[in-house]
Amino acid sequence: MSEKLQTVTFFPDGTTKQKSKDARSLSTTGRLMAYRDQLKKNLDNGIHFTEILNQLITTDDAMALLKSIQQLSTYQLDSAYLIYPQQYTRPDFYLIFLSRLLGLHQAEKLVLQANEQNDELYHEFPGIDKLGYFTFVENPDGSAYYVEQHTQEALFFIDFNKHLLLFNSEALTNLLIVKLKKEINEETLRKFELQLLAIGKFMKEDYGFDVDFNILDPSNYASYAIMDDQMPQIALDKLFINASNAGYMLITGMHNEAELELSRGIKMAVEPQENGQWVIKINDPDNRISWFDVLNKYDFIRDWYLENLESLEIKNDPRYY
């Protein structure tokens, strides 16, 4: 590989002249010195990398933690002169970041593990660890998806530089409500949900990230937009039957909206918004119950939702899913 070197000539009158010179035209000593300089430059690059990595691993400052992962998300360690044969990947650093962030808030339930065969990192969650594990899959621009490796379901998308985190309703439903619901209990699913909520909460509060919690959002202001652009009449008819069989009464309103009172003041509604978009809403006195919680707790609603996904599935942002 050829390198262009800058030669600077200083004249008696104080002027200077720069001239580019191909490394191949240098003497043997000159070429060796050029190689030495490039090697030192890349060794310094490696030392700087370790300083950023040390900050990621040890800092107790939330903003310093974010700065370190932003730098590592685009850091180029290897070069034509120096290649580090054994190193962790950027997705590994993202896992470290999440574990450190949760740890700073004393909310870490995800367990960071290492694969000894290839030195890759992954997350496990107590109660789910025998059924699946979680890693990041990186995009070319440094953004990434948090993926369960057995099923390849991407639970959320994160971009550290654009300050964006989006949860994926389809993957959350497929993994947690369809697959794992058969294997683990409601309490374990709830604990895992709270861990995901904590990630979104801290990214939003600590760093001002734009976070879409999607079906995990427990706020009474949350409106879960469904796929059907029109009133889901067939699905609503089925809900009336399912609710009646389970001992609940579905009430319809003036605009064909449907409301179902569940328990302890918890209400579920399927209703149109002003723009005509139909949504599912959950209301509870404490703003703690999300659509995911309802699917996790009430079998007849879960069965109804899964049987009518073509019209009822909660929308994702099509730019990312």
Side-chain angles (χ1 to χ4, degrees), residues 201-254:
K201 177 176 182 288
F202 300 144
M203 296 302 293
K204 185 175 184 177
E205 294 180 353
D206 290 2
Y207 306 128
F209 268 50
D210 183 6
V211 179
D212 181 1
F213 289 97
N214 208 299
I215 64 172
L216 301 180
D217 193 341
S219 168
N220 287 348
Y221 293 104
S223 297
Y224 313 104
I226 66 174
M227 285 293 185
D228 204 331
D229 293 330
Q230 306 296 323
M231 181 181 70
Q233 185 63 63
I234 295 176
L236 289 177
D237 292 341
K238 292 179 180 178
L239 178 59
F240 180 85
I241 296 172
N242 284 24
S244 178
N245 291 338
Y248 296 88
M249 179 175 291
L250 187 69
I251 300 174
T252 57
M254 294 178 58

Side-chain angles (χ1 to χ4, degrees), residues 242 295 298-308:
N242 284 24
L295 294 175
Y298 297 94
D299 292 346
F300 78 96
I301 295 180
R302 179 174 63 253
D303 292 342
W304 167 74
Y305 180 67
L306 295 178
E307 291 169 1
N308 296 276

Side-chain angles (χ1 to χ4, degrees), residues 3-130:
E3 290 288 336
K4 291 291 186 180
L5 302 177
Q6 293 292 328
T7 300
V8 182
T9 303
F10 296 88
F11 295 97
D13 62 359
T15 61
T16 62
K17 181 179 180 181
Q18 290 190 355
K19 182 178 180 182
S20 295
K21 193 171 186 180
D22 197 303
R24 291 174 298 184
S25 68
L26 296 176
S27 66
T28 300
T29 300
R31 294 184 67 183
L32 290 173
M33 292 178 68
Y35 171 74
R36 176 206 63 191
D37 292 342
Q38 287 295 326
L39 193 59
K40 183 179 183 303
K41 176 182 177 182
N42 286 279
L43 285 170
D44 290 341
N45 184 55
I47 292 172
H48 183 52
F49 175 84
T50 65
E51 293 169 350
I52 301 172
L53 180 59
N54 182 64
Q55 183 169 267
L56 176 71
I57 297 170
T58 63
T59 186
D60 292 327
D61 184 292
M63 293 309 298
L65 184 65
L66 178 63
K67 182 180 179 181
S68 67
I69 197 61
Q70 288 175 326
Q71 290 177 302
L72 289 173
S73 71
T74 57
Y75 204 96
Q76 183 61 44
L77 182 58
D78 290 337
S79 71
Y81 282 85
L82 186 61
I83 295 176
Y84 295 81
Q86 186 172 351
Q87 55 183 285
Y88 288 105
T89 64
R90 278 194 283 262
D92 292 329
F93 299 140
Y94 299 163
L95 292 171
I96 296 171
F97 169 83
L98 281 191
S99 292
R100 296 278 355 272
L101 177 63
L102 293 167
L104 289 179
H105 289 274
Q106 292 79 48
E108 186 180 5
K109 299 295 187 296
L110 287 164
V111 180
L112 186 63
Q113 301 279 24
N115 185 325
E116 296 181 359
Q117 293 182 340
N118 51 19
D119 289 325
E120 289 181 344
L121 303 181
Y122 61 94
H123 273 160
E124 285 185 345
F125 189 81
I128 299 178
D129 50 313
K130 294 181 180 179

Side-chain angles (χ1 to χ4, degrees), residues 138-182:
E138 186 188 23
N139 297 314
D141 63 358
S143 62
Y145 290 93
Y146 190 71
V147 175
E148 195 289 302
Q149 283 300 301
H150 289 334
T151 61
Q152 290 298 298
E153 296 288 356
L155 300 189
F156 63 80
F157 167 88
I158 191 167
D159 190 319
F160 291 101
N161 295 304
K162 293 182 179 179
H163 285 214
L164 190 63
L165 192 158
L166 305 171
F167 285 96
N168 180 354
S169 65
E170 181 180 6
L172 291 167
T173 300
N174 289 342
L175 178 64
L176 303 181
I177 299 302
V178 176
K179 183 178 186 298
L180 295 184
K181 181 69 176 174
K182 301 174 184 177

